[in-house]
Amino acid sequence: MAHDQQQSKWKGKASAELAGPKAEQVWPLLEDFFGLNKWFPTLTTCLGVEGINGQPGCVRYCAGFKTPVNGGDKIVNWTKQKLLSIDPTELSFSYSIIDGNVGFNSYISTVKVVPGEDGCNIHWWYEVEAVEGWKLEDLDAFIGSGLQVMVMAKRMEEALHASSNQKPSLVYPS
């Protein structure tokens, strides 16, 4: 986990490598801004609440994840996230958290799919004001393992592999 600690802003990056699937196969899964719960291991809810999915300005409501500061608490964390930009040519998008109960202020994240030699990589950059009650390591853990970019990537890899191995079903007229 790479990170840079400034006095008022924390910055970092998480990455995951997918062996096999090409960037063009993974991108449609990520560009579905309202469908993050399909891939994100601890997210139980992801609903579009404003705008058109995949268009800048749309807003999603995400809930169900836990942060490192929750400990044993039964708090359901939630955020509203606004899509700032999306570039299907560069296979990237940026979003910000505009509301929530996790204490993130000025959170902006950029997700990019990068072609690799034998598959692709997902890179997830973030920047946020220092979070009260947290250490930078907490945020790194949340982005890297809390968000579980690796698990998310693995789920995508498995779904793409399964869909490419399925044989078309033949329907014969009766």
Side-chain angles (χ1 to χ4, degrees), residues 11-29:
K11 296 179 182 182
K13 175 184 171 186
S15 296
E17 184 176 342
L18 285 83
K22 302 296 180 203
E24 303 78 33
Q25 295 173 293
V26 172
W27 172 246
L29 307 179

Side-chain angles (χ1 to χ4, degrees), residues 27 30-33 52-60 81-96 108-112:
W27 172 246
L30 283 171
E31 78 173 331
D32 176 11
F33 194 67
I52 298 170
N53 189 14
Q55 292 190 2
C58 71
V59 176
R60 66 185 176 194
Q81 303 172 359
K82 182 176 188 174
L83 184 62
L84 301 174
S85 65
I86 188 162
D87 187 338
T89 305
E90 291 294 316
L91 308 181
S92 68
F93 65 89
S94 294
Y95 69 94
S96 66
I108 297 177
S109 188
T110 299
V111 178
K112 182 173 177 68

Side-chain angles (χ1 to χ4, degrees), residues 154-172:
K154 187 72 174 160
R155 284 182 171 187
M156 291 177 173
E157 199 173 58
E158 289 169 355
L160 289 168
H161 180 73
S163 68
S164 68
N165 283 338
Q166 289 179 349
K167 294 184 173 132
S169 58
L170 299 175
V171 179
Y172 295 99

Side-chain angles (χ1 to χ4, degrees), residues 32-139:
D32 176 11
F33 194 67
F34 296 164
L36 183 61
N37 58 317
K38 297 172 191 168
W39 314 113
F40 197 80
T42 59
L43 195 63
T44 56
T45 303
C46 182
L47 302 169
V49 294
E50 187 177 315
I52 298 170
N53 189 14
Q55 292 190 2
C58 71
V59 176
R60 66 185 176 194
Y61 169 84
C62 297
F65 56 93
K66 294 197 180 299
T67 63
V69 296
N70 285 135
D73 294 343
K74 300 276 187 215
I75 296 170
V76 174
N77 289 317
W78 64 272
T79 59
K80 283 187 179 178
Q81 303 172 359
K82 182 176 188 174
L83 184 62
L84 301 174
S85 65
I86 188 162
D87 187 338
T89 305
E90 291 294 316
L91 308 181
S92 68
F93 65 89
S94 294
Y95 69 94
S96 66
I97 294 178
I98 58 172
D99 196 7
N101 68 348
V102 294
F104 289 178
N105 295 312
S106 300
Y107 179 95
I108 297 177
S109 188
T110 299
V111 178
K112 182 173 177 68
V113 183
V114 179
E117 204 169 293
D118 184 34
C120 64
N121 294 289
I122 299 172
H123 299 293
W124 196 304
W125 292 273
Y126 66 87
E127 179 178 315
V128 66
E129 288 180 11
V131 181
E132 188 176 332
W134 288 42
K135 295 179 228 152
L136 179 58
E137 295 78 30
D138 294 331
L139 188 59

